[in-house]
Amino acid sequence: RVHDSTMSAQFATQSIASLRARCATKPRATRSSVVVNASARPLWMPGSDAPAHLKGEMPGDYGFDPLELGVDPKDLSWYQQAELQHCRWAMLGLAGMVAPELLTSMGISNLPNWHEAPFYDGYFTDATTLFVVQMIMMNWAELRRWQDIKNPGSANVDPAFPNNKLPDGEVGYPAGIFDPLNYSKGDLKTLKVKEIANGRLAMVACLGCFIQYDHTGVGPVANLASHLADPANNNVFKAAFIGF
């Protein structure tokens, strides 16, 4: 019996030592691999699975496509360029909404609010002429951009002045004269993500400015100042509709 007890104790000791050795090596490798896989692809909803057609290759791709609009590669490429342009216009538009009102409120200038800009009579010509000229110029620029999307590189040469050329580059990021500060020579991947993130925020902000004006009849700077002065009473829950 003493011999059997001794053998059992040795066997138990060896089993515990073997189990400890396995726990000391295997779980650590598994834990690190799980952490790497989880942090390698940030998604819009943590723990969710990205659609198969969104592989994380595009700037700002967080696997968000609940309607599966980008299943077709051609459609996805078009949506990518459309979002990029909307982002850039929204950032410019938001600056155009805020800056004139801010400068006027500071007494630096006397410019119209964004919703009054079409009726402003201080331009160098009438609003109708400006609109027509803008439509013609924008049509030409957008057609050139559309051609570049369909056939990358086809719009790199100025049709009127052949000596004006853009370097070969990625669609949507022409560089050359459009990159005077040479940002494209730095960490362009990170800058692309930042541009998309700021552009998406600007699109939401522009929508907020439209809704705010319909509620209050004033611009974003006046709305912000009013809210900061009395947050309890001047907020979205107590705003009166003036357009409905």
Side-chain angles (χ1 to χ4, degrees), residues 30-69:
T30 304
R31 181 181 177 86
S32 67
S33 63
V34 170
V35 171
V36 170
N37 291 335
S39 61
R41 176 79 187 279
L43 298 174
W44 70 279
M45 180 179 291
S48 63
D49 296 325
H53 59 280
L54 296 180
K55 304 176 182 179
E57 300 172 347
M58 300 179 297
D61 177 9
Y62 299 108
F64 182 80
D65 188 12
L67 300 180
E68 297 186 349
L69 299 176

PDB file of all heavy atoms in Angstrom, residues 30-69:
ATOM      1  N   THR A  30      -2.129  31.754 -28.027  1.00  0.00           N
ATOM      2  CA  THR A  30      -3.517  31.933 -28.478  1.00  0.00           C
ATOM      3  C   THR A  30      -4.027  33.321 -28.147  1.00  0.00           C
ATOM      4  O   THR A  30      -4.675  33.974 -28.954  1.00  0.00           O
ATOM      5  CB  THR A  30      -4.412  30.879 -27.802  1.00  0.00           C
ATOM      6  OG1 THR A  30      -3.901  29.579 -28.095  1.00  0.00           O
ATOM      7  CG2 THR A  30      -5.840  30.993 -28.310  1.00  0.00           C
ATOM      8  N   ARG A  31      -3.705  33.838 -26.972  1.00  0.00           N
ATOM      9  CA  ARG A  31      -4.172  35.152 -26.555  1.00  0.00           C
ATOM     10  C   ARG A  31      -3.607  36.232 -27.464  1.00  0.00           C
ATOM     11  O   ARG A  31      -4.319  37.118 -27.917  1.00  0.00           O
ATOM     12  CB  ARG A  31      -3.764  35.419 -25.099  1.00  0.00           C
ATOM     13  CG  ARG A  31      -4.233  36.768 -24.581  1.00  0.00           C
ATOM     14  CD  ARG A  31      -3.780  36.962 -23.159  1.00  0.00           C
ATOM     15  NE  ARG A  31      -4.166  38.260 -22.672  1.00  0.00           N
ATOM     16  CZ  ARG A  31      -5.332  38.551 -22.138  1.00  0.00           C
ATOM     17  NH1 ARG A  31      -6.246  37.615 -22.036  1.00  0.00           N
ATOM     18  NH2 ARG A  31      -5.618  39.760 -21.722  1.00  0.00           N
ATOM     19  N   SER A  32      -2.304  36.166 -27.774  1.00  0.00           N
ATOM     20  CA  SER A  32      -1.703  37.201 -28.605  1.00  0.00           C
ATOM     21  C   SER A  32      -2.271  37.160 -30.011  1.00  0.00           C
ATOM     22  O   SER A  32      -2.482  38.189 -30.641  1.00  0.00           O
ATOM     23  CB  SER A  32      -0.178  37.041 -28.637  1.00  0.00           C
ATOM     24  OG  SER A  32       0.173  35.848 -29.318  1.00  0.00           O
ATOM     25  N   SER A  33      -2.531  35.945 -30.531  1.00  0.00           N
ATOM     26  CA  SER A  33      -3.079  35.859 -31.884  1.00  0.00           C
ATOM     27  C   SER A  33      -4.481  36.437 -31.943  1.00  0.00           C
ATOM     28  O   SER A  33      -4.853  37.088 -32.907  1.00  0.00           O
ATOM     29  CB  SER A  33      -3.088  34.397 -32.342  1.00  0.00           C
ATOM     30  OG  SER A  33      -3.945  33.624 -31.519  1.00  0.00           O
ATOM     31  N   VAL A  34      -5.274  36.230 -30.888  1.00  0.00           N
ATOM     32  CA  VAL A  34      -6.623  36.795 -30.856  1.00  0.00           C
ATOM     33  C   VAL A  34      -6.573  38.310 -30.811  1.00  0.00           C
ATOM     34  O   VAL A  34      -7.302  39.003 -31.505  1.00  0.00           O
ATOM     35  CB  VAL A  34      -7.398  36.241 -29.641  1.00  0.00           C
ATOM     36  CG1 VAL A  34      -8.707  37.004 -29.473  1.00  0.00           C
ATOM     37  CG2 VAL A  34      -7.686  34.760 -29.828  1.00  0.00           C
ATOM     38  N   VAL A  35      -5.664  38.869 -30.018  1.00  0.00           N
ATOM     39  CA  VAL A  35      -5.538  40.318 -29.918  1.00  0.00           C
ATOM     40  C   VAL A  35      -5.117  40.919 -31.244  1.00  0.00           C
ATOM     41  O   VAL A  35      -5.657  41.927 -31.702  1.00  0.00           O
ATOM     42  CB  VAL A  35      -4.537  40.695 -28.808  1.00  0.00           C
ATOM     43  CG1 VAL A  35      -4.243  42.178 -28.851  1.00  0.00           C
ATOM     44  CG2 VAL A  35      -5.072  40.293 -27.449  1.00  0.00           C
ATOM     45  N   VAL A  36      -4.177  40.273 -31.928  1.00  0.00           N
ATOM     46  CA  VAL A  36      -3.711  40.786 -33.215  1.00  0.00           C
ATOM     47  C   VAL A  36      -4.833  40.759 -34.230  1.00  0.00           C
ATOM     48  O   VAL A  36      -5.075  41.715 -34.955  1.00  0.00           O
ATOM     49  CB  VAL A  36      -2.511  39.946 -33.712  1.00  0.00           C
ATOM     50  CG1 VAL A  36      -2.177  40.317 -35.146  1.00  0.00           C
ATOM     51  CG2 VAL A  36      -1.306  40.199 -32.821  1.00  0.00           C
ATOM     52  N   ASN A  37      -5.576  39.653 -34.278  1.00  0.00           N
ATOM     53  CA  ASN A  37      -6.664  39.554 -35.246  1.00  0.00           C
ATOM     54  C   ASN A  37      -7.764  40.562 -34.963  1.00  0.00           C
ATOM     55  O   ASN A  37      -8.367  41.112 -35.868  1.00  0.00           O
ATOM     56  CB  ASN A  37      -7.249  38.141 -35.214  1.00  0.00           C
ATOM     57  CG  ASN A  37      -6.279  37.114 -35.769  1.00  0.00           C
ATOM     58  OD1 ASN A  37      -5.417  37.461 -36.561  1.00  0.00           O
ATOM     59  ND2 ASN A  37      -6.410  35.870 -35.342  1.00  0.00           N
ATOM     60  N   ALA A  38      -8.049  40.832 -33.696  1.00  0.00           N
ATOM     61  CA  ALA A  38      -9.117  41.760 -33.346  1.00  0.00           C
ATOM     62  C   ALA A  38      -8.738  43.196 -33.646  1.00  0.00           C
ATOM     63  O   ALA A  38      -9.570  44.010 -34.009  1.00  0.00           O
ATOM     64  CB  ALA A  38      -9.461  41.609 -31.861  1.00  0.00           C
ATOM     65  N   SER A  39      -7.456  43.527 -33.496  1.00  0.00           N
ATOM     66  CA  SER A  39      -7.031  44.906 -33.693  1.00  0.00           C
ATOM     67  C   SER A  39      -6.566  45.178 -35.121  1.00  0.00           C
ATOM     68  O   SER A  39      -6.295  46.319 -35.472  1.00  0.00           O
ATOM     69  CB  SER A  39      -5.899  45.242 -32.719  1.00  0.00           C
ATOM     70  OG  SER A  39      -4.795  44.395 -32.965  1.00  0.00           O
ATOM     71  N   ALA A  40      -6.458  44.134 -35.954  1.00  0.00           N
ATOM     72  CA  ALA A  40      -5.954  44.336 -37.304  1.00  0.00           C
ATOM     73  C   ALA A  40      -6.973  45.042 -38.183  1.00  0.00           C
ATOM     74  O   ALA A  40      -6.600  45.717 -39.126  1.00  0.00           O
ATOM     75  CB  ALA A  40      -5.579  42.986 -37.922  1.00  0.00           C
ATOM     76  N   ARG A  41      -8.266  44.920 -37.925  1.00  0.00           N
ATOM     77  CA  ARG A  41      -9.310  45.503 -38.767  1.00  0.00           C
ATOM     78  C   ARG A  41     -10.371  46.147 -37.894  1.00  0.00           C
ATOM     79  O   ARG A  41     -11.284  45.476 -37.408  1.00  0.00           O
ATOM     80  CB  ARG A  41      -9.925  44.403 -39.631  1.00  0.00           C
ATOM     81  CG  ARG A  41     -11.120  44.874 -40.489  1.00  0.00           C
ATOM     82  CD  ARG A  41     -10.656  45.599 -41.711  1.00  0.00           C
ATOM     83  NE  ARG A  41     -11.759  46.188 -42.431  1.00  0.00           N
ATOM     84  CZ  ARG A  41     -12.561  45.524 -43.268  1.00  0.00           C
ATOM     85  NH1 ARG A  41     -12.382  44.234 -43.480  1.00  0.00           N
ATOM     86  NH2 ARG A  41     -13.522  46.155 -43.918  1.00  0.00           N
ATOM     87  N   PRO A  42     -10.291  47.451 -37.661  1.00  0.00           N
ATOM     88  CA  PRO A  42     -11.356  48.112 -36.894  1.00  0.00           C
ATOM     89  C   PRO A  42     -12.645  48.153 -37.697  1.00  0.00           C
ATOM     90  O   PRO A  42     -12.633  48.471 -38.884  1.00  0.00           O
ATOM     91  CB  PRO A  42     -10.793  49.516 -36.661  1.00  0.00           C
ATOM     92  CG  PRO A  42      -9.811  49.727 -37.773  1.00  0.00           C
ATOM     93  CD  PRO A  42      -9.226  48.378 -38.059  1.00  0.00           C
ATOM     94  N   LEU A  43     -13.754  47.814 -37.067  1.00  0.00           N
ATOM     95  CA  LEU A  43     -15.050  47.792 -37.722  1.00  0.00           C
ATOM     96  C   LEU A  43     -16.000  48.780 -37.060  1.00  0.00           C
ATOM     97  O   LEU A  43     -15.815  49.170 -35.913  1.00  0.00           O
ATOM     98  CB  LEU A  43     -15.654  46.382 -37.668  1.00  0.00           C
ATOM     99  CG  LEU A  43     -14.853  45.289 -38.391  1.00  0.00           C
ATOM    100  CD1 LEU A  43     -15.483  43.927 -38.148  1.00  0.00           C
ATOM    101  CD2 LEU A  43     -14.766  45.573 -39.883  1.00  0.00           C
ATOM    102  N   TRP A  44     -17.026  49.175 -37.811  1.00  0.00           N
ATOM    103  CA  TRP A  44     -17.968  50.175 -37.308  1.00  0.00           C
ATOM    104  C   TRP A  44     -18.734  49.648 -36.100  1.00  0.00           C
ATOM    105  O   TRP A  44     -19.120  50.422 -35.224  1.00  0.00           O
ATOM    106  CB  TRP A  44     -18.938  50.582 -38.417  1.00  0.00           C
ATOM    107  CG  TRP A  44     -19.913  49.526 -38.786  1.00  0.00           C
ATOM    108  CD1 TRP A  44     -19.707  48.449 -39.610  1.00  0.00           C
ATOM    109  CD2 TRP A  44     -21.268  49.426 -38.364  1.00  0.00           C
ATOM    110  NE1 TRP A  44     -20.830  47.686 -39.723  1.00  0.00           N
ATOM    111  CE2 TRP A  44     -21.816  48.259 -38.959  1.00  0.00           C
ATOM    112  CE3 TRP A  44     -22.083  50.201 -37.545  1.00  0.00           C
ATOM    113  CZ2 TRP A  44     -23.127  47.862 -38.760  1.00  0.00           C
ATOM    114  CZ3 TRP A  44     -23.399  49.799 -37.345  1.00  0.00           C
ATOM    115  CH2 TRP A  44     -23.903  48.654 -37.943  1.00  0.00           C
ATOM    116  N   MET A  45     -18.938  48.332 -36.041  1.00  0.00           N
ATOM    117  CA  MET A  45     -19.568  47.723 -34.879  1.00  0.00           C
ATOM    118  C   MET A  45     -18.630  46.639 -34.351  1.00  0.00           C
ATOM    119  O   MET A  45     -18.452  45.608 -35.005  1.00  0.00           O
ATOM    120  CB  MET A  45     -20.926  47.119 -35.227  1.00  0.00           C
ATOM    121  CG  MET A  45     -21.621  46.473 -34.029  1.00  0.00           C
ATOM    122  SD  MET A  45     -23.254  45.781 -34.447  1.00  0.00           S
ATOM    123  CE  MET A  45     -24.178  47.298 -34.755  1.00  0.00           C
ATOM    124  N   PRO A  46     -18.015  46.861 -33.187  1.00  0.00           N
ATOM    125  CA  PRO A  46     -17.077  45.878 -32.648  1.00  0.00           C
ATOM    126  C   PRO A  46     -17.714  44.497 -32.508  1.00  0.00           C
ATOM    127  O   PRO A  46     -18.831  44.359 -32.034  1.00  0.00           O
ATOM    128  CB  PRO A  46     -16.713  46.464 -31.273  1.00  0.00           C
ATOM    129  CG  PRO A  46     -16.967  47.925 -31.407  1.00  0.00           C
ATOM    130  CD  PRO A  46     -18.131  48.047 -32.332  1.00  0.00           C
ATOM    131  N   GLY A  47     -16.992  43.507 -32.984  1.00  0.00           N
ATOM    132  CA  GLY A  47     -17.487  42.143 -32.903  1.00  0.00           C
ATOM    133  C   GLY A  47     -18.272  41.693 -34.107  1.00  0.00           C
ATOM    134  O   GLY A  47     -18.592  40.511 -34.224  1.00  0.00           O
ATOM    135  N   SER A  48     -18.605  42.611 -35.006  1.00  0.00           N
ATOM    136  CA  SER A  48     -19.359  42.250 -36.201  1.00  0.00           C
ATOM    137  C   SER A  48     -18.406  41.748 -37.285  1.00  0.00           C
ATOM    138  O   SER A  48     -17.192  41.901 -37.191  1.00  0.00           O
ATOM    139  CB  SER A  48     -20.163  43.440 -36.717  1.00  0.00           C
ATOM    140  OG  SER A  48     -19.286  44.494 -37.107  1.00  0.00           O
ATOM    141  N   ASP A  49     -18.975  41.151 -38.319  1.00  0.00           N
ATOM    142  CA  ASP A  49     -18.205  40.663 -39.460  1.00  0.00           C
ATOM    143  C   ASP A  49     -18.388  41.612 -40.633  1.00  0.00           C
ATOM    144  O   ASP A  49     -19.508  42.017 -40.956  1.00  0.00           O
ATOM    145  CB  ASP A  49     -18.648  39.258 -39.851  1.00  0.00           C
ATOM    146  CG  ASP A  49     -18.370  38.236 -38.756  1.00  0.00           C
ATOM    147  OD1 ASP A  49     -17.347  38.393 -38.066  1.00  0.00           O
ATOM    148  OD2 ASP A  49     -19.179  37.298 -38.594  1.00  0.00           O
ATOM    149  N   ALA A  50     -17.290  41.948 -41.293  1.00  0.00           N
ATOM    150  CA  ALA A  50     -17.353  42.830 -42.454  1.00  0.00           C
ATOM    151  C   ALA A  50     -17.872  42.064 -43.665  1.00  0.00           C
ATOM    152  O   ALA A  50     -17.608  40.866 -43.805  1.00  0.00           O
ATOM    153  CB  ALA A  50     -15.969  43.400 -42.751  1.00  0.00           C
ATOM    154  N   PRO A  51     -18.621  42.706 -44.553  1.00  0.00           N
ATOM    155  CA  PRO A  51     -19.056  42.038 -45.781  1.00  0.00           C
ATOM    156  C   PRO A  51     -17.854  41.577 -46.599  1.00  0.00           C
ATOM    157  O   PRO A  51     -16.772  42.174 -46.527  1.00  0.00           O
ATOM    158  CB  PRO A  51     -19.847  43.132 -46.518  1.00  0.00           C
ATOM    159  CG  PRO A  51     -20.247  44.099 -45.456  1.00  0.00           C
ATOM    160  CD  PRO A  51     -19.147  44.079 -44.443  1.00  0.00           C
ATOM    161  N   ALA A  52     -18.053  40.542 -47.373  1.00  0.00           N
ATOM    162  CA  ALA A  52     -16.949  39.957 -48.132  1.00  0.00           C
ATOM    163  C   ALA A  52     -16.349  40.936 -49.135  1.00  0.00           C
ATOM    164  O   ALA A  52     -15.158  40.869 -49.440  1.00  0.00           O
ATOM    165  CB  ALA A  52     -17.426  38.697 -48.847  1.00  0.00           C
ATOM    166  N   HIS A  53     -17.164  41.866 -49.654  1.00  0.00           N
ATOM    167  CA  HIS A  53     -16.658  42.785 -50.666  1.00  0.00           C
ATOM    168  C   HIS A  53     -15.913  43.976 -50.065  1.00  0.00           C
ATOM    169  O   HIS A  53     -15.293  44.736 -50.806  1.00  0.00           O
ATOM    170  CB  HIS A  53     -17.798  43.290 -51.552  1.00  0.00           C
ATOM    171  CG  HIS A  53     -18.874  44.010 -50.795  1.00  0.00           C
ATOM    172  ND1 HIS A  53     -19.859  43.360 -50.103  1.00  0.00           N
ATOM    173  CD2 HIS A  53     -19.116  45.335 -50.632  1.00  0.00           C
ATOM    174  CE1 HIS A  53     -20.674  44.239 -49.552  1.00  0.00           C
ATOM    175  NE2 HIS A  53     -20.241  45.450 -49.847  1.00  0.00           N
ATOM    176  N   LEU A  54     -15.984  44.148 -48.753  1.00  0.00           N
ATOM    177  CA  LEU A  54     -15.229  45.216 -48.081  1.00  0.00           C
ATOM    178  C   LEU A  54     -14.055  44.585 -47.356  1.00  0.00           C
ATOM    179  O   LEU A  54     -14.197  44.005 -46.285  1.00  0.00           O
ATOM    180  CB  LEU A  54     -16.133  45.973 -47.109  1.00  0.00           C
ATOM    181  CG  LEU A  54     -17.306  46.740 -47.726  1.00  0.00           C
ATOM    182  CD1 LEU A  54     -18.110  47.453 -46.649  1.00  0.00           C
ATOM    183  CD2 LEU A  54     -16.819  47.728 -48.776  1.00  0.00           C
ATOM    184  N   LYS A  55     -12.886  44.693 -47.965  1.00  0.00           N
ATOM    185  CA  LYS A  55     -11.704  43.984 -47.484  1.00  0.00           C
ATOM    186  C   LYS A  55     -10.751  44.868 -46.687  1.00  0.00           C
ATOM    187  O   LYS A  55      -9.637  44.456 -46.379  1.00  0.00           O
ATOM    188  CB  LYS A  55     -10.974  43.364 -48.675  1.00  0.00           C
ATOM    189  CG  LYS A  55     -11.853  42.437 -49.503  1.00  0.00           C
ATOM    190  CD  LYS A  55     -11.132  41.912 -50.724  1.00  0.00           C
ATOM    191  CE  LYS A  55     -12.060  41.030 -51.564  1.00  0.00           C
ATOM    192  NZ  LYS A  55     -11.385  40.512 -52.783  1.00  0.00           N
ATOM    193  N   GLY A  56     -11.174  46.099 -46.406  1.00  0.00           N
ATOM    194  CA  GLY A  56     -10.308  46.993 -45.644  1.00  0.00           C
ATOM    195  C   GLY A  56      -9.211  47.631 -46.455  1.00  0.00           C
ATOM    196  O   GLY A  56      -8.263  48.177 -45.897  1.00  0.00           O
ATOM    197  N   GLU A  57      -9.335  47.605 -47.772  1.00  0.00           N
ATOM    198  CA  GLU A  57      -8.296  48.157 -48.646  1.00  0.00           C
ATOM    199  C   GLU A  57      -8.515  49.638 -48.949  1.00  0.00           C
ATOM    200  O   GLU A  57      -7.587  50.334 -49.340  1.00  0.00           O
ATOM    201  CB  GLU A  57      -8.244  47.361 -49.951  1.00  0.00           C
ATOM    202  CG  GLU A  57      -7.925  45.888 -49.753  1.00  0.00           C
ATOM    203  CD  GLU A  57      -8.072  45.077 -51.030  1.00  0.00           C
ATOM    204  OE1 GLU A  57      -8.656  45.600 -52.008  1.00  0.00           O
ATOM    205  OE2 GLU A  57      -7.609  43.929 -51.052  1.00  0.00           O
ATOM    206  N   MET A  58      -9.737  50.124 -48.792  1.00  0.00           N
ATOM    207  CA  MET A  58     -10.041  51.520 -49.091  1.00  0.00           C
ATOM    208  C   MET A  58      -9.923  52.375 -47.839  1.00  0.00           C
ATOM    209  O   MET A  58     -10.153  51.895 -46.723  1.00  0.00           O
ATOM    210  CB  MET A  58     -11.455  51.645 -49.665  1.00  0.00           C
ATOM    211  CG  MET A  58     -11.685  50.880 -50.945  1.00  0.00           C
ATOM    212  SD  MET A  58     -13.394  51.062 -51.546  1.00  0.00           S
ATOM    213  CE  MET A  58     -14.289  50.292 -50.210  1.00  0.00           C
ATOM    214  N   PRO A  59      -9.561  53.658 -47.995  1.00  0.00           N
ATOM    215  CA  PRO A  59      -9.497  54.550 -46.827  1.00  0.00           C
ATOM    216  C   PRO A  59     -10.854  54.672 -46.158  1.00  0.00           C
ATOM    217  O   PRO A  59     -11.877  54.855 -46.822  1.00  0.00           O
ATOM    218  CB  PRO A  59      -9.065  55.893 -47.433  1.00  0.00           C
ATOM    219  CG  PRO A  59      -8.412  55.546 -48.732  1.00  0.00           C
ATOM    220  CD  PRO A  59      -9.118  54.331 -49.231  1.00  0.00           C
ATOM    221  N   GLY A  60     -10.895  54.536 -44.842  1.00  0.00           N
ATOM    222  CA  GLY A  60     -12.134  54.684 -44.110  1.00  0.00           C
ATOM    223  C   GLY A  60     -13.075  53.504 -44.223  1.00  0.00           C
ATOM    224  O   GLY A  60     -14.260  53.633 -43.917  1.00  0.00           O
ATOM    225  N   ASP A  61     -12.569  52.356 -44.660  1.00  0.00           N
ATOM    226  CA  ASP A  61     -13.413  51.164 -44.781  1.00  0.00           C
ATOM    227  C   ASP A  61     -13.496  50.467 -43.430  1.00  0.00           C
ATOM    228  O   ASP A  61     -12.532  49.852 -42.976  1.00  0.00           O
ATOM    229  CB  ASP A  61     -12.820  50.216 -45.831  1.00  0.00           C
ATOM    230  CG  ASP A  61     -13.614  48.915 -45.950  1.00  0.00           C
ATOM    231  OD1 ASP A  61     -14.704  48.835 -45.347  1.00  0.00           O
ATOM    232  OD2 ASP A  61     -13.144  48.003 -46.648  1.00  0.00           O
ATOM    233  N   TYR A  62     -14.656  50.573 -42.789  1.00  0.00           N
ATOM    234  CA  TYR A  62     -14.890  49.927 -41.503  1.00  0.00           C
ATOM    235  C   TYR A  62     -15.976  48.855 -41.606  1.00  0.00           C
ATOM    236  O   TYR A  62     -16.641  48.543 -40.629  1.00  0.00           O
ATOM    237  CB  TYR A  62     -15.269  50.971 -40.451  1.00  0.00           C
ATOM    238  CG  TYR A  62     -14.182  52.000 -40.226  1.00  0.00           C
ATOM    239  CD1 TYR A  62     -14.334  53.305 -40.690  1.00  0.00           C
ATOM    240  CD2 TYR A  62     -13.001  51.667 -39.575  1.00  0.00           C
ATOM    241  CE1 TYR A  62     -13.334  54.249 -40.504  1.00  0.00           C
ATOM    242  CE2 TYR A  62     -11.998  52.599 -39.386  1.00  0.00           C
ATOM    243  CZ  TYR A  62     -12.168  53.889 -39.849  1.00  0.00           C
ATOM    244  OH  TYR A  62     -11.176  54.816 -39.669  1.00  0.00           O
ATOM    245  N   GLY A  63     -16.152  48.324 -42.817  1.00  0.00           N
ATOM    246  CA  GLY A  63     -17.093  47.230 -43.003  1.00  0.00           C
ATOM    247  C   GLY A  63     -18.548  47.625 -42.930  1.00  0.00           C
ATOM    248  O   GLY A  63     -19.396  46.786 -42.600  1.00  0.00           O
ATOM    249  N   PHE A  64     -18.876  48.878 -43.254  1.00  0.00           N
ATOM    250  CA  PHE A  64     -20.260  49.340 -43.158  1.00  0.00           C
ATOM    251  C   PHE A  64     -20.900  49.372 -44.542  1.00  0.00           C
ATOM    252  O   PHE A  64     -20.576  50.221 -45.373  1.00  0.00           O
ATOM    253  CB  PHE A  64     -20.315  50.730 -42.536  1.00  0.00           C
ATOM    254  CG  PHE A  64     -21.717  51.261 -42.368  1.00  0.00           C
ATOM    255  CD1 PHE A  64     -22.503  50.846 -41.308  1.00  0.00           C
ATOM    256  CD2 PHE A  64     -22.253  52.162 -43.270  1.00  0.00           C
ATOM    257  CE1 PHE A  64     -23.799  51.318 -41.144  1.00  0.00           C
ATOM    258  CE2 PHE A  64     -23.541  52.650 -43.128  1.00  0.00           C
ATOM    259  CZ  PHE A  64     -24.316  52.224 -42.057  1.00  0.00           C
ATOM    260  N   ASP A  65     -21.776  48.436 -44.803  1.00  0.00           N
ATOM    261  CA  ASP A  65     -22.571  48.416 -46.023  1.00  0.00           C
ATOM    262  C   ASP A  65     -23.796  47.537 -45.792  1.00  0.00           C
ATOM    263  O   ASP A  65     -23.920  46.463 -46.375  1.00  0.00           O
ATOM    264  CB  ASP A  65     -21.745  47.895 -47.210  1.00  0.00           C
ATOM    265  CG  ASP A  65     -22.477  48.041 -48.532  1.00  0.00           C
ATOM    266  OD1 ASP A  65     -23.519  48.740 -48.556  1.00  0.00           O
ATOM    267  OD2 ASP A  65     -22.040  47.456 -49.541  1.00  0.00           O
ATOM    268  N   PRO A  66     -24.705  47.978 -44.916  1.00  0.00           N
ATOM    269  CA  PRO A  66     -25.858  47.130 -44.563  1.00  0.00           C
ATOM    270  C   PRO A  66     -26.772  46.845 -45.741  1.00  0.00           C
ATOM    271  O   PRO A  66     -27.459  45.819 -45.752  1.00  0.00           O
ATOM    272  CB  PRO A  66     -26.571  47.946 -43.476  1.00  0.00           C
ATOM    273  CG  PRO A  66     -26.146  49.361 -43.713  1.00  0.00           C
ATOM    274  CD  PRO A  66     -24.740  49.277 -44.217  1.00  0.00           C
ATOM    275  N   LEU A  67     -26.806  47.718 -46.740  1.00  0.00           N
ATOM    276  CA  LEU A  67     -27.668  47.513 -47.902  1.00  0.00           C
ATOM    277  C   LEU A  67     -26.952  46.803 -49.047  1.00  0.00           C
ATOM    278  O   LEU A  67     -27.546  46.591 -50.108  1.00  0.00           O
ATOM    279  CB  LEU A  67     -28.217  48.862 -48.396  1.00  0.00           C
ATOM    280  CG  LEU A  67     -29.044  49.655 -47.386  1.00  0.00           C
ATOM    281  CD1 LEU A  67     -29.524  50.963 -47.999  1.00  0.00           C
ATOM    282  CD2 LEU A  67     -30.230  48.838 -46.876  1.00  0.00           C
ATOM    283  N   GLU A  68     -25.669  46.493 -48.842  1.00  0.00           N
ATOM    284  CA  GLU A  68     -24.861  45.794 -49.846  1.00  0.00           C
ATOM    285  C   GLU A  68     -24.856  46.523 -51.186  1.00  0.00           C
ATOM    286  O   GLU A  68     -25.007  45.931 -52.256  1.00  0.00           O
ATOM    287  CB  GLU A  68     -25.359  44.361 -50.019  1.00  0.00           C
ATOM    288  CG  GLU A  68     -25.220  43.519 -48.754  1.00  0.00           C
ATOM    289  CD  GLU A  68     -25.588  42.066 -48.966  1.00  0.00           C
ATOM    290  OE1 GLU A  68     -26.149  41.763 -50.042  1.00  0.00           O
ATOM    291  OE2 GLU A  68     -25.317  41.248 -48.085  1.00  0.00           O
ATOM    292  N   LEU A  69     -24.665  47.822 -51.120  1.00  0.00           N
ATOM    293  CA  LEU A  69     -24.641  48.624 -52.341  1.00  0.00           C
ATOM    294  C   LEU A  69     -23.355  48.433 -53.136  1.00  0.00           C
ATOM    295  O   LEU A  69     -23.323  48.694 -54.339  1.00  0.00           O
ATOM    296  CB  LEU A  69     -24.802  50.108 -51.981  1.00  0.00           C
ATOM    297  CG  LEU A  69     -26.106  50.490 -51.270  1.00  0.00           C
ATOM    298  CD1 LEU A  69     -26.075  51.960 -50.890  1.00  0.00           C
ATOM    299  CD2 LEU A  69     -27.305  50.189 -52.149  1.00  0.00           C
TER     300      LEU A  69
END
